[in-house]
Amino acid sequence: EEQGHEGLEGRLDEAEAIVEAIRKAEAEAPAGGGGARSAAMLGAEADRAVRAVMELMREGAAMLDAEGRVLHGPGRLGALRRRAPRDLMGQSFASFVHSRDAEKWQSAFGSQGRQAALGFMLEVLVSAGQSVPVHIAICPLGKGGDRIAFLVASELAWQEERMKQLERVTRELAQQKEDLEEVATTDSTTGAYTSGAALEVLQTEIAYGRRYGTPVSVLLMDIDHFKFLNDSYGHAFGDTILKEFCDRCRAAIRATDYLVRYGGDEFVVILPQSGRSGAQAVGERILDSVRAAPLGQDTRGVPVTISVGVATAQAGEEVPAGVLLKRADQALYEVKQRGRDGLAHWDGKSLTDHGRG
């Protein structure tokens, strides 16, 4: 991209130098016999200047001789005709024009053709039986009897197609971004949010609750003796347990709640606008659903229990997300100390970190 920018700058500088040389030649051209030589030199400089400027143009362009034949045409004109630029050299531009617009072209370019014809439309043939609307401008060049014309063709259909391509690429990029964001925030095994999203979501909900005077609660849960299950029955069975556990969690929570895979077998449920009693009710529903039937019934079905720690940020309470999770962690530790398969709510004691049972 940098090299392309430098190349463009170089061509702009070259075009500017050539234009300056033309102005100088025009100012210094003597009258009489010497003028013919200067005019010839000026014609060469003008040709170089026009070619340089054409290369910088985004639109299709062609330099035509007095008979309307193509002397020079950059790649965009070739794209218009679906032909290589070299294949256009020497061809009459009139042969590109649809027959119904032939008279319009002749009137604009004409045998006398010294006037400028700006801003008219033509149908230009791009292949057998196909044509596209094109915006044309013709400008005379040279001095005296010179009949070179400069033509700018801006293909409307071509532009429309490029716009459609741009819109399609933009949509694809937006979808790719959405997919990447989903991959970054969604656990592939369970479909729950990833741990990276937990703190951000929780902090946002706490700030909302503080502003509008509503509580926020979290459940911190893990599957009891999950390592033993994984080692005894295999990782595929362990993944099945995790998936089915998440399905039962989703059935027990609201659509506005968040289920997060916080660690290997550890999960967080974020409950916006839920106080202590509401959070405990959700935790009890999840406990009951796990106790009601073994997980992994499609394979071998194993009785599984879970432990749940609950913590609540009261309405208006200013508590960081990490601190609220530590409170739930302490409550979870208390459940494990009592033998697992139960629920406890943080009761306001110290936030000493505990290990896992």
Side-chain angles (χ1 to χ4, degrees):
E1 195 172 322
E2 243 177 69
Q3 290 174 347
H5 181 70
E6 289 174 1
L8 179 62
E9 291 290 338
R11 285 187 289 165
L12 284 168
D13 291 342
E14 179 186 357
E16 187 176 346
I18 292 171
V19 170
E20 184 59 32
I22 294 173
R23 289 174 180 161
K24 185 177 179 182
E26 285 179 327
E28 296 176 354
R37 181 177 178 183
S38 296
M41 179 185 70
L42 182 58
E45 293 292 348
D47 181 72
R48 287 180 56 203
V50 170
R51 289 172 188 261
V53 172
M54 287 170 66
E55 295 294 338
L56 300 174
M57 296 185 62
R58 288 180 175 273
E59 297 86 354
M63 186 190 300
L64 309 180
D65 66 12
E67 304 303 321
R69 293 184 294 261
V70 178
L71 296 177
H72 179 61
R76 193 61 60 83
L77 181 64
L80 170 67
R81 286 281 295 164
R82 312 315 194 244
R83 303 274 293 279
R86 63 177 178 275
D87 295 334
L88 304 177
M89 299 305 100
Q91 293 195 41
S92 170
F93 192 87
S95 67
F96 305 160
V97 178
H98 195 286
S99 58
R100 63 171 166 262
D101 285 339
E103 187 175 338
K104 187 189 294 186
W105 168 254
Q106 287 301 327
S107 174
F109 189 74
S111 56
Q112 302 304 314
R114 290 298 304 155
Q115 79 282 5
L118 304 174
F120 66 99
M121 301 295 299
L122 289 177
E123 288 284 329
V124 172
L125 300 170
V126 294
S127 60
Q130 288 188 323
S131 63
V132 293
V134 170
H135 186 92
I136 298 290
I138 303 171
C139 302
L141 293 177
K143 300 176 69 175
D146 291 344
R147 292 291 319 290
I148 298 174
F150 183 57
L151 174 145
V152 179
S154 178
E155 179 194 347
L156 302 184
W158 181 86
Q159 291 179 347
E160 185 178 348
E161 179 60 28
R162 292 302 181 274
M163 287 300 296
K164 288 179 180 177
Q165 289 179 4
L166 180 60
E167 290 171 0
R168 184 164 58 250
V169 169
T170 301
R171 286 196 302 270
E172 289 173 357
L173 289 174
Q175 184 61 51
Q176 288 175 9
K177 180 184 177 184
E178 187 177 321
D179 292 344
L180 287 172
E181 288 175 349
E182 183 175 347
V183 168
T185 59
T186 305
D187 174 56
S188 59
T189 301
T190 63
Y193 286 99
T194 58
S195 59
L199 285 175
E200 183 179 350
V201 170
L202 182 54
Q203 195 61 59
T204 300
E205 292 298 339
I206 291 172
Y208 181 91
R210 188 169 63 248
R211 180 173 182 179
Y212 293 100
T214 57
V216 179
S217 295
V218 293
L219 310 180
L220 182 58
M221 311 174 291
D222 72 12
I223 298 173
D224 298 329
H225 305 297
F226 182 75
K227 185 178 186 304
F228 172 78
L229 294 172
N230 230 7
D231 293 343
S232 300
Y233 300 102
H235 292 287
F237 180 72
D239 286 348
T240 299
I241 295 293
L242 295 174
K243 290 175 187 175
E244 290 189 12
F245 171 66
C246 285
D247 289 341
R248 297 190 191 187
C249 286
R250 291 188 188 95
I253 65 178
R254 303 166 300 183
T256 53
D257 300 330
Y258 301 87
L259 176 63
V260 180
R261 186 174 183 183
Y262 199 55
D265 65 320
E266 201 169 46
F267 293 85
V268 169
V269 174
I270 301 172
L271 302 164
Q273 302 179 44
S274 291
R276 174 170 178 156
S277 60
Q280 287 190 193
V282 173
E284 293 290 354
R285 283 202 299 273
I286 295 174
L287 275 167
D288 290 343
S289 71
V290 173
R291 291 167 178 160
L295 293 172
Q297 292 187 75
D298 290 343
T299 50
R300 61 193 74 204
V302 174
V304 173
T305 61
I306 63 169
S307 298
V308 183
V310 184
T312 299
Q314 300 298 336
E317 183 180 1
E318 194 164 343
V319 54
V323 171
L324 190 61
L325 286 170
K326 282 185 178 181
R327 292 176 180 178
D329 180 69
Q330 182 176 344
L332 177 62
Y333 176 78
E334 299 300 330
V335 176
K336 294 211 176 263
Q337 289 294 93
R338 297 200 302 258
R340 301 179 172 83
D341 188 23
L343 177 148
H345 196 286
W346 182 78
D347 59 6
K349 294 181 181 178
S350 67
L351 294 178
T352 304
D353 289 333
H354 298 281
R356 290 283 175 262

